[in-house]
Amino acid sequence: MAQLKIVFTGTVGAGKTQAVEALSEIPVLKTDVQATDEVVDLKDSTTIAMDYGEMAISDGETLAVYGTPGQKRFAYMWDILSRNALGIVILVNNSRKDPIEDLCVYVNNFKQHIENTTAVFGVTHLDKAKNPAEEMNKYYTFFEQQGYHYPVFPVDARKRNDVNVLVESLLAMLEVG
Ligand SMILES: Nc1nc2c(ncn2[C@@H]2O[C@H](COP(=O)(O)OP(=O)(O)OP(=O)(O)O)[C@@H](O)[C@H]2O)c(=O)[nH]1
Ligand SMILES: [Mg+2]
């Protein structure tokens, strides 16, 4: 039987590895190495190939949860990991200089996969903002302007409940679809 899988993608430091760790019921297979170049200012390690975890969903089925690398130099993994995924979760690090531009990079790169399946969006690092609700408004407005009918949620990738909302929402959309 084909593996049921979803894929977390998005910018460097958005919390993809953290999200897979928050969700997974098995020890996460990680390919993080010590960060170099511009990533070093953000955090100690970065994903070079993938994160892999698993979680139980309804009917005793297992959902495979993959995280992609964020860095564009490892972008060849994006397509490989997304093949046959049920849907894509895009995480956006709101504390970066231009998170909407970041978001566009991933929407464009995963366009085909998103069109063939579906997507949900999670905005992370909102706790660093003075007014998180106001920050969220810029995403809602942007989605409306673009005609994107995808859910977008404020999330903290360190919190399982937050990340689970993304997964539940993606699975619910697939059932409806
Ligand atoms: N303050 C804060 N920290 C967060 C939030 N979400 C994630 N983090 C932290 O931000 C860092 C994100 O790191 P990773 O999970 O390695 O990010 P990644 O998206 O896998 O990054 P790459 O693999 O390098 O592309 C971790 O230290 C998380 O604990 C959030 O909402 N707020
Ligand atoms: Mg990572």
Side-chain angles (χ1 to χ4, degrees):
M1 205 178 72
Q3 186 185 44
L4 299 178
K5 71 184 237 190
I6 61 169
V7 176
F8 280 77
T9 192
T11 19
V12 172
K16 303 174 295 295
T17 300
Q18 186 73 57
V20 176
E21 283 194 321
L23 289 171
S24 184
E25 291 152 10
I26 61 163
V28 174
L29 168 75
K30 293 196 285 184
T31 60
D32 272 37
V33 299
Q34 199 173 0
T36 54
D37 50 54
E38 75 278 5
V39 179
V40 110
D41 298 334
L42 293 170
K43 56 197 185 88
D44 295 335
S45 71
T46 188
T47 304
I48 57 164
M50 70 165 112
D51 310 303
Y52 177 81
E54 289 179 358
M55 63 185 286
I57 50 170
S58 56
D59 302 335
E61 289 195 280
T62 297
L63 183 67
V65 184
Y66 288 85
T68 72
Q71 293 187 62
K72 283 189 200 149
R73 63 190 165 121
F74 303 123
Y76 64 92
M77 287 302 296
W78 296 355
D79 188 50
I80 294 172
L81 294 176
S82 309
R83 279 178 212 156
N84 301 319
L86 294 172
I88 309 287
V89 181
I90 297 183
L91 296 183
V92 185
N93 178 350
N94 186 66
S95 67
R96 286 192 18 120
K97 202 169 70 212
D98 191 348
I100 298 274
E101 168 64 26
D102 290 340
L103 187 156
C104 291
V105 167
Y106 292 86
V107 169
N108 290 334
N109 272 283
F110 286 85
K111 196 166 186 286
Q112 207 58 56
H113 291 292
I114 295 172
E115 279 172 9
N116 292 341
T117 60
T118 192
V120 300
F121 292 75
V123 181
T124 59
H125 294 264
L126 278 167
D127 51 301
K128 297 173 179 169
K130 274 205 200 90
N131 188 339
E134 204 172 277
E135 297 290 317
M136 283 306 292
N137 278 338
K138 72 182 180 219
Y139 299 96
Y140 300 139
T141 306
F142 177 74
F143 274 50
E144 205 174 294
Q145 283 167 352
Q146 299 295 317
Y148 292 166
H149 301 292
Y150 302 111
V152 47
F153 297 101
V155 296
D156 186 324
R158 299 167 297 181
K159 297 184 181 164
R160 186 175 202 275
N161 283 351
D162 283 21
V163 185
N164 204 31
V165 166
L166 299 172
V167 178
E168 293 290 339
S169 160
L170 193 68
L171 295 178
M173 284 164 73
L174 293 166
E175 270 170 34
V176 171

